[in-house]
């Protein structure tokens, strides 16, 4: 089992993640990288990026391995067709903000917490354990 970070924007002109999750905890995430390594049951830390309070806001579960969706039409990119279905199980409240993650000795060297730009990233086991310890008392079921 591998923990993952999936990156997204919290609120933009085109998408409001919190509002979308209020409608359904099921999401299909664009997964152009590491698509051959995801597995059903893997945990996903959803990292919200942007200028306002970037950090880890949700904990989800992969429902099935990454697949190619030939009907997905976004940006005419061949990588946009690779999708991973997840179920967002918990809100992290308060979120694990980037400033907190960078201040923690066991997490500060993990480069995704220093301004990660990308959509998916595997999380080393030692980092995943530290995240679970910090997140456990903050998990609120959706």
């Amino acid at each position: 089992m591998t923990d993952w970070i999936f990156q997204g924007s919290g609120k933009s002109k085109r998408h409001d993640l919190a509002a979308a999750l209020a409608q359904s905890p099921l999401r299909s995430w664009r997964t152009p990288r590491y698509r051959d390594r995801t597995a059903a049951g893997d945990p996903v830390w959803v990292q919200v990026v942007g200028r306002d309070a970037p950090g880890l806001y949700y904990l989800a579960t992969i429902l099935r391995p990454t697949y190619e969706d030939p009907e997905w039409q976004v940006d005419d990119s061949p990588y946009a067709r690779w999708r991973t279905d997840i179920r967002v199980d918990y809100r992290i409240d308060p979120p694990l903000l980037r400033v907190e993650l960078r201040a923690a000795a066991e997490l500060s060297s993990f480069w995704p917490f220093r301004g990660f730009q990308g959509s998916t990233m595997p999380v080393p086991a030692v980092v995943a354990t530290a995240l679970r310890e910090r997140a456990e008392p903050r998990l609120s079921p959706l």
Side-chain angles (χ1 to χ4, degrees):
M1 176 169 31
T2 301
D3 280 52
W4 296 90
I5 289 180
F6 283 15
Q7 177 177 291
S9 59
K11 193 169 186 175
S12 67
K13 290 180 182 179
R14 293 177 35 186
H15 186 71
D16 182 339
L17 182 57
L21 290 174
Q23 296 294 315
S24 173
L26 303 176
R27 312 298 323 145
S28 178
W29 216 270
R30 191 161 108 172
T31 319
R33 299 174 54 208
Y34 305 104
R35 59 185 173 263
D36 58 336
R37 294 178 46 191
T38 63
D42 283 354
V44 174
W45 300 89
V46 178
Q47 179 168 255
V48 172
V49 297
R51 295 177 193 232
D52 300 326
L56 300 176
Y57 280 72
Y58 301 98
L59 183 58
T61 303
I62 292 177
L63 299 177
R64 67 179 180 152
T66 300
Y67 59 95
E68 185 175 11
D69 183 350
E71 304 212 4
W72 193 267
Q73 302 292 324
V74 175
D75 303 330
D76 295 324
S77 167
Y79 300 109
R81 293 181 177 209
W82 292 98
R83 311 298 295 176
T84 302
D85 294 338
I86 65 171
R87 180 188 62 240
V88 179
D89 302 305
Y90 298 97
R91 174 179 290 108
I92 303 170
D93 189 19
L96 292 166
L97 297 179
R98 185 179 296 162
V99 67
E100 176 184 351
L101 297 169
R102 291 181 65 180
E106 68 275 19
L107 299 171
S108 63
S109 65
F110 187 47
W111 70 271
F113 299 147
R114 291 183 280 164
F116 175 51
Q117 295 297 315
S119 58
T120 57
M121 176 64 60
V123 179
V126 66
V127 172
T129 298
L131 288 175
R132 284 186 197 294
E133 289 171 0
R134 287 182 175 276
E136 186 68 35
R138 303 178 188 198
L139 297 179
S140 177
L142 280 187

